Structures are given as structure tokens and as C-alpha cells.
Amino acid sequence: MDDADLLGLAREAARAGARTATSWLDRAHRLLVEEKAGPDDLVSQADRDTERAVRDVLAAHRPHDAVLGEEEGTTVGGGRVRWVVDPIDGTTNYLYGRPDWAVSVAAVDTDGDRLLAGVVIEPALGLLTEARAGARTVADGTPVAPLRQHDLGRALVELNFGRPDQRQRAGPTVGALLPRVRDLRRGGSAAAALAQVASGRADALWAPGLQPWDCAAGVLLVQQAGGTVGDLGGPTPGTWPHSGDVLAAPPALWRPLRALLGRHHEP
């Protein structure tokens, strides 16, 4: 498969996951909800069923590929492609009936974790954003406009704190950013937020403490929309920041945001 074919398979798998996740919404009162790392880190049968639906599509077409999923961990493979899957990114939003949750599927080259293709579906909004290496990001069938916001004072910035230890820095982070930007939002799904940045529904995202499944697809969406992604150590072109600290923004905003955030977060 070339990258276009990988993108088609990622899209098919993400749509299968979105159908499964959506089918549970009418039965949400019957879901068994568990806490993983704490009360803010939830998982349900819907998450597990959704990941299984995604994996079934991938296995039907590329049974020898590795898969890394949030709920089922790593399936070892022997090919050049590894799939990175978050079945429901934003489970708390999903369980509360809020719209900021997403199904995320990415294809990654096992040599250097180069991002090949990625799809993020926001089922509650009926939105699909996708990209492949070397081609413009597409949102609902239309290529997105290049990310050209250059005025920090007019930037809408998404925040996402992915680990409990990051929360103690939330106050200083908000204090540093809020006087300098248009406004802040905290949607609760890094995958959805990255899709929003890529499609112009937000201008930037700061999300420390992410796992690869949270951000792999979304990072590619931003990069192929002309944005810069990295951590406070610098940009990470072609892949996600392996520190898990993700700053995504148009090029003109990336370094000013990095400078503001660097006062409160060590690279």
C-alpha cells in the first residue's frame, strides 16, 4: 500500500470505530465505567468495543501490521507500518454527552515513527479530518486553508492536561497565556483539538503529557495544514513529540507560545 491507500484504510477503520461508539450512546446508562489512573481517567465497554471495531478492519486488510491501541496495548507485527489507535479520545466528554470526543487512527512508519496517514473523526459533530504525508489536510472532503494566524493577541488556544502531575501547572499556564491571547478553551480531547487547529476552529494547542494514541493522527493533520508541532525542546517535523508534550500552532505563533510556556514548563 502507498500512503493514499493507508489513508483510505485509516478512514475505513475510523468510521467503523465511530459507528460502534455512536451505537453505544443510546445505551450509555448500561455502560460499566471504570477508573484507570484516577477519577479523571475513565474507560468503558464502549471504548473497548470501539477499539475492537477499528482493529478488526485493520486486521482484515493488513493482518501482519503492528497495532498500538489505548485499551488493548500493542499487537506485534512484522511490517513497516504500525497503527496507532485511540478509540474514544475524550471518554469523559463521551460519557457526559458532550461533543468534544474523537476516534483517532494513524499509520506510522516503524522506522523513525514517521507519520504516514491519519484520520480524526468527531462523531458528535459529524466531522472527519484526514491527512497523508505530502498532501494537504482535508476536512469533510475539502482541503483546509493554510494555517496563517500570526497575531498572538487574536489566537484562540486550546489547553489539554493529560497527566495528573500536569494539573499543578494549570494555574501558572493559564496566567501566562490568558493576558496574551484572545481566549483559552479546554475541550478535553487532544485528538479533537488537533483536528480543530488543523481546520481553523482553534489557532493553537498546548497539551502536555499525551500518549502517542492521543496525538499521532492529529499531529499529522496540523503539520499537513502548514502548522508546526513539537515540544518545548523544539519542532518535531514528520512525527509527534516523544516527550508527550505537544505544542501545535501556525508557524508565526509557535515560537512566541513556546517562549511563554517555557517559563512554567521544563523542556
Side-chain angles (χ1 to χ4, degrees):
M1 281 186 169
D2 61 19
D3 291 350
D5 293 328
L6 292 173
L7 178 59
L9 180 52
R11 186 189 310 120
E12 181 182 347
R15 282 175 169 162
R19 286 192 298 270
T20 298
T22 302
S23 74
W24 265 109
L25 287 174
D26 292 336
R27 300 172 286 156
H29 63 284
R30 294 170 51 191
L31 284 169
L32 175 63
V33 180
E34 303 168 30
E35 296 180 1
K36 293 192 285 186
D40 60 325
D41 190 6
L42 303 179
V43 64
S44 72
Q45 188 61 44
D47 295 82
R48 296 187 176 104
D49 287 355
T50 298
E51 183 165 324
R52 176 45 51 194
V54 171
R55 284 174 175 266
D56 284 349
V57 171
L58 299 176
H61 293 272
R62 294 183 63 93
H64 303 298
D65 285 348
V67 181
L68 171 63
E70 180 176 14
E71 308 307 337
E72 295 191 15
T74 299
T75 300
V76 177
R80 75 176 184 96
V81 175
R82 180 171 74 256
W83 297 90
V84 183
V85 176
D86 196 334
I88 300 178
D89 185 63
T91 298
T92 300
N93 286 340
Y94 173 85
L95 294 171
Y96 273 80
R98 300 176 65 88
D100 274 21
W101 58 276
V103 178
S104 175
V105 179
V108 180
D109 193 323
T110 55
D111 182 12
D113 285 338
R114 183 171 65 91
L115 293 162
L116 304 173
V119 175
V120 174
I121 298 181
E122 299 165 80
L125 301 178
L127 297 176
L128 185 153
T129 312
E130 64 183 28
R132 59 181 174 88
R136 175 69 60 185
T137 299
V138 172
D140 277 350
T142 301
V144 302
L147 302 185
R148 291 177 176 159
Q149 177 61 268
H150 63 277
D151 185 347
L152 188 62
R154 289 180 168 83
L156 182 65
V157 179
E158 273 274 351
L159 296 176
N160 187 290
F161 298 101
R163 294 194 309 260
D165 63 302
Q166 300 285 352
R167 294 189 171 202
Q168 62 186 343
R169 298 177 180 175
T173 299
V174 171
L177 291 177
L178 193 54
R180 303 291 302 277
V181 303
R182 170 168 279 162
D183 211 342
L184 301 175
R185 295 290 184 269
R186 186 170 188 265
S189 166
L194 286 162
Q196 290 161 15
V197 172
S199 58
R201 291 175 285 145
D203 294 306
L205 167 69
W206 170 238
L210 299 184
Q211 297 292 336
W213 50 76
D214 298 314
C215 65
V219 163
L220 183 63
L221 302 183
V222 174
Q223 290 172 341
Q224 296 307 126
T228 300
V229 181
D231 58 18
L232 299 185
T236 55
T239 189
W240 65 91
H242 287 75
S243 66
D245 296 344
V246 176
L247 175 60
L253 298 184
W254 198 87
R255 293 193 183 280
L257 285 169
R258 176 192 180 191
L260 286 172
L261 292 163
R263 299 172 189 172
H264 304 284
H265 296 264
E266 295 181 2

